[in-house]
Amino acid sequence: MKITQVRLGRISTPLRVPFKTALRTVNSVEDVIVELHTDTGAVGYGEAPPTGVITGDTTGAILGAIQDHIAPALLGRDLDEFEDLTAAVQKALVHNTSAKAAVDMALWDLLGQKYSAPVYRMLGGARKNIVTDITISVNPPEEMARDARTAVQRGYDCLKVKVGIDPELDVARLAAVRQAVGRDIKLRIDANQAWNAKQAVRILNQMQEKGLDIEFVEQPVPAADLEGMQYVTRHADVPVLADESVFSPADALRIMQTGAADLVNIKLMKCGGITNALRIAAAAEVYGVECMIGCMLEAKISVNAAVELACAKKIITKIDLDGPVLCSEDHILGGAVFDEKNITVSDAPGMGIQGFVPGKVSYLD
Ligand SMILES: C[C@H](N)C(=O)N[C@H](CCC(=O)O)C(=O)O
Ligand SMILES: [Mg+2]
């Protein structure tokens, strides 16, 4: 199976409501689509969103990285060179993890198709069903309470609550959400780097003293502040999960070796795809550190790839794969079934993606 064409396109998917974090506000999901065409007719699918505030990747950068650097390293090569192909993706240029992730997942899709096996089974096949949380955007407390109630009515029993815009409001935000949803709903929070270490400890301990029962806090302090992360991990009465602090397998190892966080968030867009995500999962198994699998604001192809990984690896115990359910439309055919919080992986060969609703992808060629 030889790679004959790397086809690129763009797809836009509207959100149900604007998505707001301490880092950005977005109204739609904008993705780059990658199709790896082969001489057998098989097509591998990949996708990458431009999350400039986290990865530094813009739409133009993702397209340019693939077109000018990654595609030339793959064209004409046989899938039997799989190890070398995945390495070529990572070595084609530095950074640009979203572009790498899109192409890496398309290669895994092709591998599964070639051997008629679902990717999650090739990687371990731990389970077929997972349950995701859903994100509550950061807003005034009463608006967040209303959004949390709506999420619970949709069947979600675990909410990821965004905080960090005007931190003085964060305790009130969580109190309003807890009051709205009752004690049986799990609440995890994501500050997206908004606090400093002492502020984080103060806010988190206030939340726990008020009995708000926070499961864990995601990325309380700036990504590069590993000492700050360690300080919060040691002093706050809430487990800490590293998100923006962990891009590469080396980042994950550093966090685990220094005890800078209790948990790590694997995202394909940060680590450059399934190949590196497997390395992070392996390190986490060695260190006994549980992982979350997360997503950016992404539609179904790349979140589907994350589902394949989550269904393969038991060390991934926390699921934040709500990209597709935050969208009001689905333009992608095949793949996992997203039935609100319940996600069922596809048993089709590869990743089970069958293409797009006609007219929804704007191809570059
Ligand atoms: C969508 C997911 N639940 C999430 O919250 N991801 C954010 C980043 C999303 C973005 O800005 O696209 C995170 O975990 O920080
Ligand atoms: Mg996060």
Side-chain angles (χ1 to χ4, degrees):
M1 185 185 277
K2 279 201 163 63
I3 297 167
T4 53
Q5 188 191 4
V6 180
R7 196 170 189 213
L8 297 174
R10 295 179 63 172
I11 194 165
S12 177
T13 316
L15 286 169
R16 287 169 178 252
V17 292
F19 179 84
K20 261 173 90 173
T21 73
L23 295 173
R24 66 176 187 153
T25 300
V26 212
N27 295 303
S28 62
V29 175
E30 304 296 328
D31 286 307
V32 170
I33 295 296
V34 180
E35 294 177 4
L36 296 184
H37 290 252
T38 65
D39 59 355
T40 66
V43 178
Y45 290 95
E47 172 188 327
T51 319
V53 290
I54 296 177
T55 59
D57 300 335
T58 61
T59 298
I62 295 168
L63 291 169
I66 298 174
Q67 211 157 30
D68 300 339
H69 297 268
I70 300 174
L74 301 181
L75 280 169
R77 294 179 71 177
D78 198 292
L79 201 72
D80 282 346
E81 298 178 61
F82 194 77
E83 172 95 348
D84 289 341
L85 294 180
T86 55
V89 171
Q90 301 302 323
K91 285 182 191 151
L93 72 175
V94 299
H95 308 305
N96 290 278
T97 49
S98 307
K100 291 172 182 173
V103 179
D104 181 85
M105 71 181 71
L107 285 170
W108 279 97
D109 186 15
L110 283 177
L111 192 71
Q113 292 181 52
K114 176 163 178 172
Y115 292 105
S116 300
V119 169
Y120 84 98
R121 289 242 179 253
M122 294 196 301
L123 301 181
R127 53 197 160 169
K128 284 205 62 172
N129 302 294
I130 50 177
V131 176
T132 184
D133 62 14
I134 191 164
T135 305
I136 306 298
S137 286
V138 53
N139 277 306
E142 58 283 5
E143 202 175 325
M144 294 178 72
R146 188 202 59 204
D147 290 347
R149 254 191 306 269
T150 304
V152 171
Q153 280 158 7
R154 285 174 67 185
Y156 292 92
D157 49 22
C158 180
L159 309 182
K160 168 158 145 166
V161 182
K162 292 287 185 180
V163 293
I165 294 181
D166 189 359
E168 294 318 309
L169 267 185
D170 284 337
V171 178
R173 286 185 170 109
L174 263 292
V177 169
R178 175 56 81 200
Q179 206 196 350
V181 300
R183 308 235 45 100
D184 293 340
I185 302 297
K186 258 191 196 168
L187 298 181
R188 42 185 71 164
I189 59 180
D190 189 355
N192 283 109
Q193 314 180 54
W195 300 330
N196 64 48
K198 286 202 167 154
Q199 190 181 30
V201 171
R202 180 171 51 79
I203 292 172
L204 291 166
N205 287 350
Q206 271 177 25
M207 287 178 180
Q208 295 307 61
E209 278 156 24
K210 282 183 181 289
L212 300 179
D213 192 14
I214 308 301
E215 182 196 8
F216 61 79
V217 60
E218 190 171 328
Q219 201 62 45
V221 302
D225 184 8
L226 293 191
E227 283 176 9
M229 287 287 280
Q230 199 179 47
Y231 181 87
V232 181
T233 302
R234 285 188 183 156
H235 294 94
D237 191 17
V238 178
V240 174
L241 177 141
D243 183 8
E244 290 95 321
S245 292
V246 175
F247 271 54
S248 65
D251 293 340
L253 267 178
R254 201 170 307 123
I255 293 271
M256 293 173 199
Q257 285 165 344
T258 58
D262 301 291
L263 305 150
V264 299
N265 190 349
I266 303 175
K267 285 184 184 156
L268 300 182
M269 295 304 138
K270 292 185 298 166
C271 68
I274 287 186
T275 306
N276 271 345
L278 288 168
R279 296 183 175 120
I280 297 178
E285 283 163 4
V286 171
Y287 281 88
V289 169
E290 290 179 27
C291 298
M292 179 151 98
I293 181 92
C295 61
M296 305 297 185
L297 266 196
E298 304 163 32
K300 213 175 74 183
I301 293 179
S302 49
V303 177
N304 183 59
V307 170
E308 299 278 349
L309 180 71
C311 287
K313 295 291 165 198
K314 286 189 178 158
I315 196 72
I316 297 172
T317 56
K318 305 191 186 297
I319 313 290
D320 175 34
L321 295 179
D322 58 347
V325 294
L326 296 172
C327 294
S328 59
E329 294 172 17
D330 177 12
H331 303 148
I332 290 145
L333 308 173
V337 174
F338 289 79
D339 178 13
E340 296 289 12
K341 70 177 179 181
N342 298 302
I343 306 175
T344 306
V345 71
S346 165
D347 259 323
M351 302 210 193
I353 299 296
Q354 288 155 14
F356 304 95
V357 172
K360 290 297 181 185
V361 178
S362 307
Y363 287 101
L364 263 56
D365 48 276

